[in-house]
């Protein structure tokens, strides 16, 4: 599903440049539940942004669903994101003046689905995350956990191949964190590839595979003991 | 391409962000309001100028004479210059191809009575063409005609107010009135846009007046309407030529301004035309300045708005929005706001102008201030275009920002 070979990325800082990713090799198969662990500055967010086509890499090859990602213009990237990827952000990134339902329906708007249909589909997904009664509330009227569930519903509504979650529990307390991780686990059980970025051991421990990143290189890549349990 | 969903997105965005929408709209509405008022008032001024001459035909030339003030060819100053029928004939025959209308005029003050009512009125003895030069409007009956001139008939055409004085509401046509002791038949009643004084006049055939009052061939004034096909400059040259010819004919010193006066509407029109042109230039300059200020205002607000929405655009992009859809959304919103606001400003301006109407005519010399449809359409197109540009430039830049940068924005 995701294949990365010798990936490099630098950011210019003044006249110098900061080498953030220094040759990453990573292969994630369809249906995997992977977490990228690392302290801040390790390059994990950069990696997710590149995987999510929100940013471009400098060197190396990146295949998404077998397609080589190279010299994408904004338009092509937008189409691929809409088709293959679902995002869950640490700060939820809901549009403040849209209701929960409208937020969930938005990716379908960009997919070109008719309004009636997309509202129906969005309602199903809101129902799946247990927020049907909150459909017509604005994000400001929802709790953090509810917002993240709306964001997850929004990430799933286009039936993406990969869900990318950037510190999805970073802004939540431990109880709500657990319920969000439960939700991601359920999604993974349905066969979707889930890619989580976190710096919390407890969160990473709930995934099937932990990739540890330090200073722009992978220092370990191991399956958790949880995996046999799931089988 | 009508995209209902796009419009829904835009209305939602405007609706949920009322303050900034109203702010950006206000700038444009105010600019257009000022623009409309400015143009309207100048148009009103122009109307007043045109109205000042509405009394008489625009192509009139009036020839009047007086006393000489300069000795000439051995003759003393203070000599009375008198126009006579032969001068009228001279003008008629010499310039036939350049004259549209021609009339002599004799002034008299007369006492007119009917039954027990009587009063003093001004009388003008004229040729039939006088009708056109004075823009007299015949309400009832007829004006002086060629047969009256030929047969020196004792007929009189009276003004609307004369009729009111003497006849009240009763019919005047066909009745006989006494004018300085001689009986005339009323053959017509007229009105005139020149005001009440013009409607207190009476007209009779020039030949009748010459026969009955003085039995001579004197005339007070020659009025003519030059061929409207002449340009203003040609008409001015024509007026000058008449003056030169008459000076020679009547033995008047070339520089004697009092002995003969030729009043040429073409000269007045030219002066007013130049003045109005200068005024319009100023207005176009100031008006476009106002519009440009409005456009710059909305551009600034759009830049701010887009900065504020950068994160939203980042989210939309992450969800699959293409750059074109972001630009389209912003531009459409901007055009919508400018168009509606501009239309409001325009309507308010037109409404204010219509309220002013003719009420400023006396005090400020502004008559019926209004803007022409051409200006309205032009201003509307300018607005839509400016909304387009004001939205497009910053939106294009916003759409170019990488989603990752946009998402980090706050």
């Amino acid at each position: 599903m995701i294949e990365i070979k010798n990936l490099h990325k630098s950011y210019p800082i003044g006249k110098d440049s900061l080498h953030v990713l220094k040759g990453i090799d990573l292969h994630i198969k369809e249906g995997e539940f992977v977490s990228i662990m690392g302290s801040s500055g390790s390059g994990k967010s950069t990696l997710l942004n590149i995987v999510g086509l929100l940013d471009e890499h400098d060197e190396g090859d990146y295949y998404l669903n077998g397609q080589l990602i190279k010299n994408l213009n904004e338009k092509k990237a937008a189409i691929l994101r809409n088709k293959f990827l679902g995002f869950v952000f640490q700060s939820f990134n809901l549009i403040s003046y849209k209701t929960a339902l409208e937020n969930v329906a938005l990716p379908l708007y960009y997919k070109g689905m008719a309004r009636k249909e997309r509202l129906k589909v969005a309602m199903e997904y809101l129902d799946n995350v247990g927020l049907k009664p909150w459909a017509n509330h604005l994000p400001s009227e929802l709790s953090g956990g509810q917002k993240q569930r709306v964001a997850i519903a929004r990430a799933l509504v286009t039936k993406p191949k990969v869900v990318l979650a950037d510190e999805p529990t970073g802004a939540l307390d431990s109880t709500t964190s657990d319920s969000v991780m439960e939700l991601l686990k359920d999604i993974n059980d349905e066969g979707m590839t889930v890619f989580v970025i976190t710096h919390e051991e407890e969160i990473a421990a709930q995934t099937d595979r932990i990739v540890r990143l330090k200073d722009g290189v992978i220092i370990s890549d191991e399956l958790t003991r949880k995996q046999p349990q799931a089988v | 391409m009508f995209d209902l969903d796009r419009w829904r997105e835009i209305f939602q965005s405007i609706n949920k962000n009322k303050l900034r929408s109203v702010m950006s709209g206000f700038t444009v509405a105010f600019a257009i309001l000022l623009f409309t008022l400015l143009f309207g008032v100048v148009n009103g001024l122009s109307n007043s100028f045109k109205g000042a001459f509405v009394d008489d035909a625009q192509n009139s030339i009036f020839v009047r004479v007086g006393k000489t003030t300069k000795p000439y060819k051995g003759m003393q100053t203070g000599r009375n210059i008198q126009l006579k029928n032969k001068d009228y004939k001279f003008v008629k025959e010499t310039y036939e191809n350049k004259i549209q209308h021609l009339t002599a005029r004799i002034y008299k003050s007369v006492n007119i009575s009917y039954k027990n009512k009587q009063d003093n009125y001004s009388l003008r003895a004229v040729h039939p063409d006088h009708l056109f030069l004075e823009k007299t409007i015949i309400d009832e009956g007829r004006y002086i005609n060629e047969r009256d001139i030929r047969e020196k008939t004792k007929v009189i055409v009276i003004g609307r107010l004369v009729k009111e004085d003497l006849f009240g509401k009763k019919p005047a046509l066909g009745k006989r009135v006494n004018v300085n002791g001689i009986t005339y038949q009323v053959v017509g009643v007229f009105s005139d846009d020149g005001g009440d004084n013009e409607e207190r006049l009476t007209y009779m055939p020039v030949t009748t007046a010459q026969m009955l009052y003085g039995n001579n061939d004197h005339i007070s004034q020659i009025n003519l309407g030059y061929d409207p096909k002449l340009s203003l400059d040609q008409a001015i040259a024509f007026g000058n030529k008449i003056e030169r010819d008459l000076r020679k004919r009547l033995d008047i010193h070339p520089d004697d301004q009092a002995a003969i006066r030729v009043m040429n509407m073409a000269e007045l029109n030219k002066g007013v035309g130049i003045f109005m042109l200068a005024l319009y230039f100023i207005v176009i300059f100031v008006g476009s300045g106002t519009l440009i200020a409005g456009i710059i205002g909305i551009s600034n607000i759009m830049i701010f708005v887009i900065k504020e929405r950068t994160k939203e655009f980042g989210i939309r992009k992450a969800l699959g929005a293409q750059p074109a859809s972001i630009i389209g959304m912003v531009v459409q919103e901007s055009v919508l706001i400018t168009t509606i606001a501009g239309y409001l400003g325009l309507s308010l301006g037109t409404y204010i102008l219509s309220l002013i109407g003719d009420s400023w005519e006396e005090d400020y010399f502004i008559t019926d201030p209004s803007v022409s449809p051409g200006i309205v359409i032009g201003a509307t197109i300018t607005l839509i275009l400016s909304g387009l540009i004001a939205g497009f430039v910053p939106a294009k830049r916003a759409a170019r920002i990488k989603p990752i940068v946009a998402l980090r924005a706050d």
Side-chain angles (χ1 to χ4, degrees):
Chain A
M1 174 57 34
I2 292 170
E3 207 175 344
I4 289 169
K5 287 177 190 160
N6 194 28
L7 191 81
H8 287 265
K9 174 73 184 175
S10 312
Y11 288 113
I13 296 172
K15 279 178 187 164
D16 305 322
S17 75
L18 183 67
H19 203 171
V20 182
L21 296 178
K22 303 163 182 170
I24 302 283
D25 291 293
L26 185 64
H27 188 103
I28 296 171
K29 290 191 285 291
E30 189 158 2
E32 275 198 283
F33 191 6
V34 186
S35 59
I36 306 283
M37 275 285 294
S39 55
S40 62
S42 60
K44 59 188 193 306
S45 285
T46 305
L47 179 60
L48 178 122
N49 289 333
I50 290 169
V51 169
L53 304 178
L54 298 173
D55 206 350
E56 291 159 341
H57 56 277
D58 300 333
E59 251 175 74
D61 298 324
Y62 168 30
Y63 293 90
L64 173 65
N65 202 33
Q67 186 178 347
L68 179 65
I69 304 301
K70 205 176 178 185
N71 298 332
L72 279 189
N73 62 25
E74 275 286 347
K75 189 178 170 182
K76 279 186 197 151
I79 294 170
L80 287 177
R81 280 197 292 266
N82 190 253
K83 206 165 160 188
F84 292 120
L85 303 171
F87 291 92
V88 178
F89 300 99
Q90 176 177 8
S91 54
F92 322 127
N93 282 345
L94 300 175
I95 292 176
S96 60
Y97 61 83
K98 286 179 176 290
T99 63
L101 183 66
E102 287 164 342
N103 265 291
V104 175
L106 195 58
L108 297 175
Y109 166 66
Y110 288 118
K111 208 170 188 139
M113 192 184 278
R115 181 178 161 84
K116 224 174 173 179
E117 201 187 341
R118 66 173 189 258
L119 288 180
K120 201 181 117 222
V121 173
M123 192 57 105
E124 280 170 30
Y125 277 84
L126 262 188
D127 199 14
N128 288 346
V129 297
L131 285 177
K132 196 173 178 180
W134 299 88
N136 293 316
H137 287 253
L138 291 174
S140 55
E141 298 161 344
L142 302 175
S143 72
Q146 285 172 322
K147 282 186 210 171
Q148 199 56 298
R149 271 142 70 194
V150 172
I152 290 171
R154 185 179 65 181
L156 297 177
V157 77
T158 51
K159 300 195 181 76
K161 296 273 187 191
V162 183
V163 171
L164 300 167
D166 186 1
E167 304 265 12
T169 60
L172 304 175
D173 61 54
S174 59
T175 333
T176 26
S177 291
D178 287 345
S179 73
V180 164
M181 287 311 291
E182 271 315 310
L183 205 53
L184 290 176
K185 240 178 278 176
D186 292 346
I187 294 161
N188 177 246
D189 286 346
E190 286 165 27
M192 214 173 274
T193 312
V194 179
F195 192 102
V196 180
I197 278 192
T198 184
H199 64 276
E200 294 172 79
E201 286 290 348
E202 309 92 86
I203 299 298
Q206 293 180 58
T207 64
D208 298 342
R209 178 179 164 193
I210 303 176
V211 177
R212 288 176 200 276
L213 218 57
K214 195 181 178 188
D215 295 332
V217 288
I218 293 174
I219 50 168
S220 77
D221 184 351
E222 56 201 7
L223 299 179
T224 58
R225 263 172 258 131
K226 249 184 79 259
Q227 207 185 20
Q229 257 182 332
V231 174
Chain B
M1 188 183 69
F2 185 78
D3 183 347
L4 188 64
D5 278 326
R6 168 75 66 78
W7 283 111
R8 246 187 254 273
E9 284 284 317
I10 287 164
F11 280 123
Q12 191 174 39
S13 154
I14 290 177
N15 212 20
K16 296 286 166 64
N17 303 286
K18 287 196 185 78
L19 180 67
R20 74 167 188 230
S21 307
V22 168
M23 287 298 284
S24 44
F26 179 77
T27 325
V28 172
F30 197 65
I32 287 290
L33 175 67
L34 287 182
F35 180 80
T36 312
L37 290 181
L38 201 62
F39 251 90
V41 163
V42 169
N43 275 339
L45 210 53
S46 160
N47 288 341
S48 294
F49 271 110
K50 283 182 195 144
F53 308 121
V54 77
D55 178 26
D56 303 313
Q58 292 285 313
N59 56 340
S60 302
I61 295 175
F62 296 161
V63 181
R64 291 184 194 128
V65 289
K67 278 191 169 77
T68 57
T69 53
K70 281 187 162 83
Y72 188 57
K73 288 187 178 169
M75 288 176 280
Q76 296 280 320
T77 58
R79 176 169 53 103
N80 259 327
I81 300 295
Q82 181 63 58
L83 289 171
K84 295 182 178 158
N85 281 351
K86 57 182 197 255
D87 300 316
Y88 171 81
K89 212 171 148 216
F90 164 78
V91 170
K92 183 171 183 169
E93 284 165 4
T94 317
Y95 311 114
E96 198 173 11
N97 57 344
K98 281 186 178 165
I99 291 177
Q100 187 190 26
H101 301 297
L102 177 65
T103 179
R105 197 192 258 183
I106 299 170
Y107 292 109
K108 279 244 167 302
S109 185
V110 293
N111 181 280
I112 304 179
S113 63
Y114 176 72
K115 292 191 173 162
N116 56 349
K117 286 184 181 148
Q118 59 150 346
D119 209 337
N120 289 320
Y121 298 99
S122 291
L123 171 81
R124 288 172 174 179
V126 297
H127 286 95
D129 271 3
H130 195 279
L131 177 75
F132 306 107
L133 291 169
E134 187 65 40
K135 287 194 179 166
T136 304
I137 303 150
I138 293 296
D139 294 338
E140 301 170 52
R142 65 170 178 85
Y143 199 65
I144 310 295
N145 62 25
E146 288 298 340
R147 204 188 118 239
D148 295 327
I149 300 293
R150 222 168 35 241
E151 299 178 5
K152 303 179 173 115
T153 54
K154 287 183 216 154
V155 296
I156 190 163
V157 180
I158 61 174
R160 187 177 61 84
L161 295 175
V162 178
K163 187 210 158 194
E164 257 175 43
D165 289 351
L166 298 178
F167 297 90
K169 297 224 180 307
K170 290 184 190 125
L173 227 52
K175 297 286 188 306
R176 285 171 197 287
V177 292
N178 190 309
V179 180
N180 284 2
I182 298 165
T183 306
Y184 287 79
Q185 187 179 26
V186 176
V187 293
V189 179
F190 69 87
S191 51
D192 193 306
D193 285 340
D196 285 359
N197 284 339
E198 299 276 338
E199 295 183 336
R200 230 177 264 285
L201 291 172
T202 57
Y203 290 108
M204 69 166 60
V206 63
T207 47
T208 312
Q210 283 175 338
M211 176 183 71
L212 294 178
Y213 307 102
N215 195 18
N216 55 29
D217 61 351
H218 292 179
I219 53 182
S220 318
Q221 186 175 336
I222 296 172
N223 295 359
L224 62 93
Y226 59 81
D227 185 344
K229 284 198 281 291
L230 294 183
S231 70
L232 280 184
D233 287 331
Q234 284 173 320
I236 290 168
F238 176 46
N240 291 341
K241 172 145 177 48
I242 293 176
E243 184 175 340
R244 275 198 309 276
D245 289 353
L246 285 177
R247 274 182 196 282
K248 206 176 285 172
R249 209 179 140 75
L250 299 168
D251 293 324
I252 301 169
H253 189 281
D255 295 332
D256 192 341
Q257 297 304 318
I260 184 162
R261 289 185 302 277
V262 173
M263 207 271 288
N264 192 343
M265 284 300 234
E267 283 179 43
L268 270 177
N269 280 335
K270 193 171 181 187
V272 170
I274 290 170
F275 176 68
M276 288 315 297
L277 197 67
L279 208 54
Y280 271 115
F281 266 119
I282 294 170
V283 163
I284 285 170
F285 184 72
V286 176
S288 342
T290 317
L291 272 191
I292 290 169
I295 293 167
I296 292 173
I298 192 171
S299 304
N300 278 333
I301 292 169
M302 284 315 289
I303 289 171
F304 172 73
V305 162
I306 280 162
K307 200 148 197 146
E308 196 187 61
R309 293 178 73 178
T310 304
K311 182 157 187 165
E312 179 194 330
F313 296 153
I315 298 171
R316 285 176 182 271
K317 278 179 156 185
L319 300 179
Q322 298 173 15
S325 113
I326 304 252
I327 296 173
M329 187 171 72
V330 173
V331 167
Q332 214 163 316
E333 187 178 323
S334 158
V335 168
L336 185 74
I337 291 176
T338 37
T339 310
I340 290 177
Y343 186 75
L344 284 180
L346 201 61
S347 309
L348 186 63
T350 325
Y351 177 66
I352 291 174
L353 290 178
S354 76
L355 279 189
I356 293 172
D358 286 345
S359 62
W360 279 10
E361 192 176 348
E362 295 286 309
D363 296 339
Y364 304 105
F365 203 58
I366 289 165
T367 313
D368 187 23
S370 57
V371 279
S372 64
I375 296 278
V376 172
I377 293 166
T380 312
I381 291 172
T382 314
L383 273 181
I384 295 175
L385 280 181
S386 56
L388 212 72
I389 296 165
F392 182 76
V393 175
K396 181 115 204 267
R397 231 176 33 199
R400 258 209 309 263
I401 300 177
K402 275 196 224 162
I404 178 64
V405 179
L407 278 171
R408 245 186 263 130
D410 244 326

